[in-house]
Structure formats: C-alpha cells, structure tokens
Amino acid sequence: MTSLQGRLRWATALAASIVLLGAGYVVYAAVRSAVWAEYDRALEAKARTVAADVEQRGAELELELEEYLSAKFSQPGFPEHFQVWRDDDGSVAAKSPSLRTDELPKLHSANGAPSYRFIKLPDGTPGRAATLHFQPVDAYDLDDEDRPAEPSPPVAATLVYAATTKHVDDALAALAWLLLAVAIASVATIIFLQFAVVRLGLRPLDRLAADIERLDAQCLSARLATDVGPRELAPVALKLNDLLGRLEAAFARERAFASDVAHELRTPIAGIRAQLDLALQRDRSADEYRGFLQACSAVCREMQAMIESLLAVARLDADQIQAQRVAVDLDLALRDGWIPFAERAAARKLRLNWDLAEGVTVHVDAGHLRLIIRNLLDNAVSHADEGGSIAVWSRPEAPKVVFQVRNTGSQTAARDAARVFDRLWRHDASRTQTGGHAGLGLSIVRRLLALNGGAIEIETARGGDFTATVTLAADRGQVDERSPPPLAA
Amino acid sequence: MRVLVIEDYAPIRQAVGQGLAEAGFAVDMARDGEEGLWYATSFNYDVVVLDLMLPKVDGLSLLRQLRAAERTARVLILTAKDALDDRIAGLNQGGDDYLVKPFDLGELLARVRALVRRKYDAKETVVRVADFELDTVRRRVRRRHGEIELTAKEYALLEYLALRKDQVVTRTDIWEHVYDFHSSASSNVVDVYIGYLRRKLEPPGSQRLIQTRRGQGYVFGEQAP
C-alpha cells in the first residue's frame, strides 16, 4: 500500500533536487561566463601590451619588450607565453623567453577583435590563448636620422598570447563543488524538515486512523472526536460518525431482530416441550396421547408458518425476490383469498361486507398478491373483536386500483400506526391475543407491495377500526378500456 | 397446595396446568394479565407461575400489583427472555424464581415444590411428626406401622396440614389451598376429608395427629401432653 506521507516526501525531495540543481547550474554558468569574459579582457590587454612593443624596423619586425615584462617572461616556469608571426611569410618574428624551444599554436583570427581559444600550454597545463592581428608601428621616428629614404612596405603580424587557466579552472571547479554540496545539503535538509513537517501535519490523520482501527462491530457506540483535529479533518470525522451511527442502528436492529426471532421460536418450542414432557410423565390412554400429539402438531404448523414468514422477510431484505407482474383479476383474488378464513370468521361470529368493483385487473405478481391478501385478511379475522365486522372494498382510480380491508375492534393505537410495519412488532407484547401472529405479516405486505410498485397505508384507533388501504397499478388493459374506443371498433 | 398459572400461550398453559394438577396441586389458569391479576388478588395462592409477556397487563406490572396487594404467593417467573437484565428485573420486582423457556416440566414441578416449602419455612422435603413421615417429593406418607395409601385430594389436604404443623388451620384456609376455583366443593367437604384422613392415619392405639379446635379449625402435630 502506498503511503501518502511517503509519496509526499519523495515528490518534494525530487522537486527540491531539480530546483536546487537547476539553480546551482545557472549560478555556475553565469559565474563561469563572467569569469572567462574578465579573463579574456585581461588576456587581450596583455596581448595588446606585448603587441605595442613590436616594431617594424625596415623590413624586419623586432620586439622591444619593456624591462619589467622581459624580466617576468624570463622567470623560469612563468605561466604566460606569447609568440609573434609575420603575416607576409608566416615566419616567427618573436616569442617569449618562457617558451624556450616550444611554440604556441597559431590561430586564425579576424582583423581587429582578438579570438580566444582553450589550448594546452607547452608544459601540458590547460591554458587560454588570445590571437590578435595587428600592424606593428614603424621603429623610426619621422625625424630619425637612421630612417631609410625608401621606407619598406608595412608588415602585418599575428600575436598569440597564452596564459595558464589553472587557477580559474580550480576556482570554477571549487565553485561547482560548493554549489553541488549546497544543493545536496539543502535537499537533505528539505527532506528531513519535510519528513518532520509532514509527520507533524499528518499526525491528526494518524490519530484518526488509530481511532478508526479501534472500532469494530462490538463497540459501534464509540465516536470519533471531531473537535480536536484540524479543521480539514472535521468533515471526514463527522461523515464517519454519521456512518457509524447508521451502522450502529442497523446492527442494533439486526441484533434485536435475531433476539426477537429466538424469542419467537422459543415460545412454541417451550409449548411442544411442555406438552411432550407432560405426555411422558405417566402412562396414558390412547385418547390422551392423541390430544398431546394434536397439540404438538398445531404448534409445529404455527412454527412452520412463522419460519416461512421469517424466510420471506430475509429474502425480501436480501433482494432475492423478484416480481413477475401480470394482469390479475382483483375481485377474484380477494374472493379466493377469503376461502381459508371463512370458517374462522364464522366461529368468531364476524360479519363480512364485500363491496368489490367488478372486472378490475391489477398489474402485479399473482403469488405476491395472494400473499398480500392472505396476510391482510388473516389480520382482520384475527384482530376483529368477536361479533365485529370486516369490510373489503375495491375500486379503480386510474391509473391505479385501490382496495381496502377494514376490521372493527382494533387493538392498535393510532400512534402505533407506523410501527405495524416493523418486523416482529405487535400491539401487545404477547402472542396469543393476536392469534399466534409473529408480527411479520404487514412487514412482508409492505415490502411485497413496494416490489410490485404498490403502497399500503394503515389507519387505526384503539377500539375503533383498523383499516389497511392498498394501492396497486391497474393493468394496462384496464386503463385502455377507459380511453375512447378506436373508430374501427 | 394451590397454584395459579398465568400464561397466554395455550400449549404451555395447558401442559403446565395439567402437569401441576397431576402432581397434586389445585390449579387455576389465566390467559392474560388482567384475568391473572384478578385471580392472584382474589385468592391466597401458594405459588403463581407467571409469564412475563402477557396481553393486557404485562407480567412485571402484574407482579408489582400483586406485591402491592400484599399477597404472599411465591412467584415463579416463566419467560422466553433469557437476558440477564430481564432476570434481574423479574427478581427485583418480587419474583422468587426464574425459569427460561423452553423448560423441563419436571424441573418446573420441582421448583414449584421448592417454592411451596420456602413459603412454609420447611427446610427439608420430608415433614416428620413423631413416627409420622410425609415425603413431599415422592408424595408418600408413612407411620410406624407402614406406608399409608391416600387419594390425591387426601394427600393434598394432609400435605397442607403437615406444612403448617403446630398451627391452627381454618377450614377456609384448607379449602382455599386444596381446591381450585372451578371446584364445586364447599368448605364442608373439608370436614369429610379430615374424617377420611383420621381413619387412615390414626388407627386405634396410635398417637392422634389431627386435633380439632372447636370454632377455629384444626392443628396438625403431636398431642399436647
């Protein structure tokens, strides 16, 4: 995994190195060119001094060095040399005593301005040569008695003046090394400082990371501190806290659900166990045993229904159920759905009022609609007060279809109307009062309706009516029927 | 001994009620908190078997109201909640014992018997008076001359007398603790059963164990010298 700190560190170090080395090179180049320009000016001055001492006497060129110069050039190992050529025949007219038998290379040069070149001096050290074309002055004054009557034509000459550059080279090399050393030291310092600064700067991030590391599913109640870190991190911590809050709520919901499920299953198991324990307490007649077996069988059926409902909820939660929507006759579906409850309703002396619009088709998954109707009717039959009534009506409200199941004697208070959709919620902590309902029915109904593009609304008042109003999409055939028939028909 | 079972789930209520009745208890059953509270505050039960999740009135508030009414019944809480907090809440509200569903019926009977013994301060499962011995677990009665066969009702009456030995027990006490609500017997049957018991328990020549206190009731124990 790449580290933000590491990447920052390397990027800054690279950038600093490039900038410092570039700057160092520019400084070095500027200094070097200034130094050489200065050197060349000095070289030219020296060359011109020597050239001024070259005279033409008749056809000959002769060098009359001033005394102090002559002394300088006579010193052994003097690191400056010169040599003068005649331009007409190319012969050497003069050279410095420091050259002894050696010669300087003759370089081409335009008239006027001298040209410069790095050369190797006779002793092998590096040097620089200036080449100068010039016209030596006439050795005779106008009133000189030696002056020949017929003056010789003037002879042009070329002077090469060379001097060692060792000290300049050394100085420039020293400068280059110094600049390089400064650059390296600077980069190192920058890397170190940047390391420290970045670490210091990112410390809140590290703390945040450490805080996050301490979180797990067991301690979701912990929250990240949002007031200690820098301003930039506060939104991150806030968002994470938000997420933690939602996670905590979801985990709590799941834990509560799991514990509720355990509780729901424990009660019927306790029933079976108590019945079986009792049956086995002593020898009994066949009729008694039959009674126990029937009781156990009834509890098993109840558990089975509950487990199937739980499974349906789990599958709906996991989006594993898909709706295959087709046209379904709502009138028929409601009447079919009532069949299993007719007997129970009669036993509870419930009156049933049907008011169904005929020929209404809904666009829905047929199996889902069956389940929805079964749950709603089951609830109505179970929850209606004995001797009360159940009303079922439907009517088209293009492009929708609405149907309603209403029962008297609601035990659910109006303020709990929204909670009836919670998994395992019941108006009462008990189970038998609701006919063994686990509190999953309406939760399933709502999810199934959502899956089928429908909706459900609950209205209830304790002691009054409990009304479930379901809205479903009408089948397109239904909608077309209401539009004007085509002319051909 | 008279027991009230308050449980909304029919398979459990029926099995526990029948199990207790077969074990010799006079049993009343209630289907919800309201009914349970009425029974519990109307009669002197020895033990109340109480489910916590009840319709109408929930178990814990029933327990509070029962204690507020100063009923001395021992309460065995029966619930599917096994979280420690729930147990503590149940015991704090005046519950005497706790059984988590699903439970063993035999264990429930044993705990009910233990609560009965606690109610009557009996440290042991066997009550002894002179040569008389009553084993509350095996439901056997012996005297020197051997084991005495009793009907369930006779045993229930004798057990109640034995647990309250050396105390004056009124006919109403006996009637309340030996017969359930649906029994049609009147308190006069107590005298009849006392007669049956004396015949079986006190053969000629043996020490008398059941004394009559005229106008008060009966005392079970050794005859005062």
Side-chain angles (χ1 to χ4, degrees):
Chain A
M1 206 168 63
T2 54
S3 142
L4 192 61
Q5 280 195 39
R7 272 205 274 181
L8 271 175
R9 202 176 304 145
W10 288 119
T12 344
L14 192 68
S17 310
I18 290 170
V19 166
L20 282 166
L21 288 174
Y25 181 75
V26 168
V27 167
Y28 173 75
V31 168
R32 206 175 80 130
S33 90
V35 162
W36 285 126
E38 194 52 42
Y39 188 89
D40 288 349
R41 263 198 300 283
L43 209 57
E44 185 187 353
K46 285 174 178 170
R48 290 204 188 280
T49 310
V50 173
D53 289 347
V54 178
E55 293 176 340
Q56 184 176 352
R57 187 174 296 277
E60 296 303 310
L61 292 181
E62 54 186 39
L63 177 69
E64 288 291 336
L65 264 190
E66 293 195 35
E67 206 158 316
Y68 76 98
L69 281 176
S70 168
K72 260 188 3 192
F73 282 108
S74 303
Q75 282 168 24
F78 187 66
E80 292 179 20
H81 318 278
F82 64 84
Q83 190 166 350
V84 183
W85 287 267
R86 289 175 68 105
D87 281 357
D88 51 359
D89 58 0
S91 61
V92 175
K95 58 183 193 178
S96 64
S98 58
L99 271 176
R100 287 193 295 270
T101 58
D102 295 322
E103 302 224 338
L104 285 176
K106 187 182 170 193
L107 307 166
H108 174 77
S109 161
N111 252 335
S115 68
Y116 305 94
R117 196 178 134 175
F118 288 105
I119 56 161
K120 197 181 239 178
L121 294 181
D123 62 355
T125 58
R128 191 162 169 87
T131 304
L132 187 67
H133 284 283
F134 69 101
Q135 191 62 55
V137 294
D138 199 345
Y140 302 106
D141 295 328
L142 285 174
D143 53 350
D144 206 327
E145 53 205 35
D146 293 347
R147 185 183 166 95
E150 191 72 19
S152 307
V155 175
T158 298
L159 170 78
V160 171
Y161 193 98
T164 183
T165 57
K166 198 172 176 304
H167 56 291
V168 179
D169 285 338
D170 286 352
L172 283 174
L175 177 69
W177 282 116
L178 182 70
L179 284 170
L180 191 66
V182 166
I184 288 170
S186 303
V187 168
T189 310
I190 284 169
I191 289 176
F192 172 77
L193 277 179
Q194 186 261 355
F195 179 78
V197 167
V198 166
R199 233 168 76 131
L200 206 67
L202 291 186
R203 191 165 292 167
L205 260 186
D206 291 342
R207 253 201 312 268
L208 191 67
D211 283 353
I212 292 170
E213 200 146 309
R214 272 197 295 277
L215 302 171
D216 62 28
Q218 306 311 312
C219 68
L220 284 171
S221 56
R223 289 290 178 274
L224 304 168
T226 53
D227 47 349
V228 292
R231 200 156 24 109
E232 290 84 346
L233 281 185
V236 176
L238 278 174
K239 286 272 176 263
L240 279 172
N241 280 346
D242 256 20
L243 178 67
L244 278 175
R246 286 200 300 277
L247 271 179
E248 188 186 13
F251 265 89
R253 219 164 30 240
E254 289 312 307
R255 263 186 219 131
F257 182 64
S259 131
D260 286 348
V261 167
H263 172 249
E264 291 300 331
L265 292 177
R266 246 185 210 143
T267 304
I269 286 172
I272 293 177
R273 178 116 190 244
Q275 292 281 340
L276 293 177
D277 282 354
L278 180 62
L280 293 172
Q281 289 253 314
R282 56 170 72 168
D283 287 333
R284 297 174 187 280
S285 71
D287 274 352
E288 276 185 285
Y289 282 126
R290 192 171 297 120
F292 289 123
L293 290 177
Q294 278 164 351
C296 288
S297 168
V299 179
C300 280
R301 276 196 299 274
E302 186 187 306
M303 277 175 76
Q304 186 185 343
M306 186 191 299
I307 287 169
E308 270 160 20
S309 295
L310 283 168
L311 207 58
V313 167
R315 282 186 180 147
L316 283 165
D317 277 353
D319 292 331
Q320 282 178 358
I321 292 181
Q322 271 151 16
Q324 306 280 329
R325 293 164 77 179
V326 292
V328 181
D329 187 325
L330 182 62
D331 177 24
L332 266 179
L334 283 167
R335 286 186 192 279
D336 269 3
W338 178 253
I339 294 169
F341 300 106
E343 203 175 317
R344 240 169 76 202
R348 302 200 61 216
K349 301 183 185 67
L350 301 175
R351 283 188 316 280
L352 180 68
N353 303 313
W354 290 103
D355 178 14
L356 301 180
E358 276 183 35
V360 175
T361 43
V362 285
H363 188 56
V364 71
D365 183 302
H368 294 174
L369 182 65
R370 238 188 334 268
L371 212 55
I372 290 163
I373 290 172
R374 193 177 76 196
N375 271 301
L376 293 176
L377 293 178
D378 193 357
N379 279 348
V381 172
S382 308
H383 297 197
D385 49 334
E386 189 139 350
S389 66
I390 296 173
V392 182
W393 64 252
S394 70
R395 67 162 176 263
E397 278 181 13
K400 306 267 182 199
V401 171
V402 179
F403 77 90
Q404 200 174 68
V405 177
R406 187 172 69 234
N407 64 271
T408 54
S410 171
Q411 291 292 311
T412 307
R415 64 187 146 84
D416 288 330
R419 296 193 59 200
V420 297
F421 297 113
D422 290 356
R423 295 177 299 186
L424 298 175
W425 185 86
R426 281 181 295 232
H427 65 79
D428 202 306
S430 66
R431 57 198 337 282
T432 45
Q433 201 64 12
T434 54
H437 286 216
L440 292 166
L442 286 175
S443 166
I444 292 172
V445 165
R446 184 161 76 165
R447 284 152 201 253
L448 285 176
L449 280 168
L451 209 60
N452 284 278
I456 180 169
E457 268 177 55
I458 298 293
E459 271 177 73
T460 174
R462 195 185 280 271
D465 286 356
F466 184 95
T467 312
T469 310
V470 173
T471 312
L472 278 166
D475 191 65
R476 198 158 306 160
Q478 167 77 17
V479 179
D480 287 347
E481 240 176 50
R482 300 169 68 91
S483 56
L487 289 174
Chain B
M1 297 298 111
R2 190 155 171 196
V3 179
L4 173 63
V5 178
I6 311 174
E7 161 68 64
D8 60 336
Y9 190 51
I12 297 180
R13 184 178 63 243
Q14 283 162 0
V16 169
Q18 192 179 341
L20 284 165
E22 286 177 1
F25 292 95
V27 182
D28 289 323
M29 291 188 266
R31 279 174 299 184
D32 58 53
E34 211 172 79
E35 201 182 12
L37 190 62
W38 181 81
Y39 272 107
T41 52
S42 304
F43 304 99
N44 279 316
Y45 289 98
D46 294 302
V47 176
V48 174
V49 177
L50 177 67
D51 182 29
L52 280 191
M53 284 178 130
L54 286 169
K56 294 181 182 171
V57 178
D58 78 274
L60 284 181
S61 61
L62 189 149
L63 197 48
R64 269 196 301 277
Q65 293 179 53
L66 185 66
R67 291 307 181 216
E70 296 186 343
R71 289 288 165 176
T72 55
R74 301 285 162 163
V75 175
L76 173 61
I77 291 169
L78 206 59
T79 185
K81 288 183 174 177
D82 66 346
L84 194 60
D85 287 351
D86 294 322
R87 285 188 219 203
I88 292 169
L91 296 178
N92 276 348
Q93 300 288 348
D96 296 282
D97 202 354
Y98 204 103
L99 206 52
V100 174
K101 294 177 189 174
F103 51 85
D104 183 276
L105 191 65
E107 186 183 353
L108 180 129
L109 297 178
R111 283 177 189 269
V112 170
R113 279 194 207 102
L115 287 176
V116 168
R117 283 199 301 278
R118 261 164 71 187
K119 184 166 188 258
Y120 293 101
D121 282 332
K123 303 273 182 298
E124 291 174 42
T125 58
V126 179
V127 181
R128 289 191 181 83
V129 176
D131 63 335
F132 168 87
E133 240 182 57
L134 183 140
D135 185 333
T136 56
V137 175
R138 296 161 65 215
R139 294 158 51 79
R140 295 238 176 101
V141 178
R142 295 176 60 87
R143 284 201 77 173
R144 189 184 305 136
H145 49 269
E147 195 161 309
I148 300 162
E149 294 291 332
L150 298 174
T151 66
K153 215 74 263 165
E154 287 165 354
Y155 173 83
L157 200 160
L158 182 58
E159 189 187 63
Y160 181 65
L161 286 174
L163 284 171
R164 295 193 63 187
K165 67 179 178 184
D166 302 328
Q167 295 171 24
V168 178
V169 182
T170 67
R171 283 181 185 78
T172 318
D173 283 345
I174 296 172
W175 187 77
E176 266 207 343
H177 284 91
V178 177
Y179 291 92
D180 61 49
F181 178 69
H182 297 285
S183 155
S184 52
S186 70
S187 62
N188 288 336
V189 304
V190 171
D191 293 333
V192 178
Y193 272 96
I194 293 281
Y196 293 159
L197 270 182
R198 279 188 169 142
R199 222 170 298 154
K200 288 189 179 178
L201 211 59
E202 302 166 350
S206 66
Q207 196 185 7
R208 299 201 59 175
L209 294 170
I210 305 171
Q211 280 83 37
T212 309
R213 293 285 167 84
R214 206 160 294 280
Q216 297 180 55
Y218 303 94
V219 176
F220 186 84
E222 283 184 86
Q223 204 166 8

